[in-house]
Amino acid sequence: MRFLLTTDPGLEDLVVGELAGGPASALERPGCLVVEHDDLDALMRLGTIHHVTELRAEGEARTLDDVRRIVDSAPLDDVAGARSFRVSSRCTGDHDFDRQRLQGAAGAVLQRRHGTTVDLEGFELEVRVDVDDERVWVGIQRTRDSLGNRVRRGRSLRSSLKPTIAAAMLRLAGAHEGNGRLADPMCGAGVIPVEAARVNAALELFAADRDPETVETARGTFANHGLALEPSCFDARELGRDYRRTFDFIVTDPPYGVRQGRRIRLDELYRDLLRSFERALCPEGCVVVIVVKHRTFRSALDAVGLNPVHERKVETGGLSPWIFVLR
C-alpha cells in the first residue's frame, strides 16, 4: 500500500530512518513523504510524523474538472460504508480554484457517487484531496488527530516543544537505542523526557527546570503518562558543578528569546549553558539543543569545547529553529 506521511519540514530523513530504511520518497512539498508499507499500525507508531493518509489515486490536474475526474475514478468505497465524511485538502501552486472550491467539488463528486452525508465536524471518514502544482493526491486520512498530540501536559504553557520535534532530537542524539543517562535540564512541560521514555525504556532520565511552577507542570505531565520521574527545581547552568553526575545525552529546549525580548540575554545564556553542558557530559556523550537565534548560538560555541557535528533547520509553530548536535 502507498501512504502519504506528513512531518515537520526538515525532518523527512528522520522519518525514513524510523521506517528502518524502507522505500520512501520526499515530495517537492516540504514535510511530506510517500512510502510503500504493508503495516498501518507500524506507521501509526512513528514518533516523527503527524498524519497518515492511505493513498487511493494520484494524477495530473490543471483544472477543477481534472480533479473531479481523478476523485471520481478513485477506489473510495469506504465512503459508501461510512455514516458521514468530509473532504480536507491542501492546495498549492497557480490554479483557477482555491482550497474551498477544491473541497466542495471533490465532496460533491463523492456524495453524488455514494450518497453519503457530508459532516464537517462529526465526520466518520476523512477524505484527503491535495493538489501540489499539477499533481493530485487522493486518499483516506487514517489519523483523526495529529500523532504529535500524544503528550498530555500537566497544564498548558505559553510555549512547549512538539513531541515530533522531541522525537527527532532524541534520534539525532542516538538516544533511541542502547542505554545511558539522559538529562533535560530545561524540561518545561516535560515533553522530551516523556518521549525519551516512550522510545527507549532503558534510559535513566533526569529532568529539571529553574521555575517551580514549571516543575509542577512537568510533574503533572509525567504522572499523566505513568512515568516515575521526579523533576528537580534546578538551574541548568549549574550542571556539572552543583549537580555533579555526568550524562551520556543532554537533550533540551532552551528559551528561544522570541517572546522574552530584552528580558533575556541569549548570548550570555548560551555561553553559560554550553559551559555547564560541557562539564556534565561524558567523554563520548552528545548534546542536542534547538534554538532560533542560531547565529548567536554559533558564536557562543567559540567559548567552549563542544563541537557541532550536525545542524539542521526545521519548521514548527510558525518559527524556523535550528537543531544542533554537539560532541
Side-chain angles (χ1 to χ4, degrees), residues 207-220:
D209 201 282
R210 65 178 297 189
D211 176 57
E213 289 188 11
T214 302
V215 169
E216 283 301 314
T217 298
R219 184 175 288 114

Side-chain angles (χ1 to χ4, degrees), residues 201 302 315:
D302 294 338
E315 295 180 21

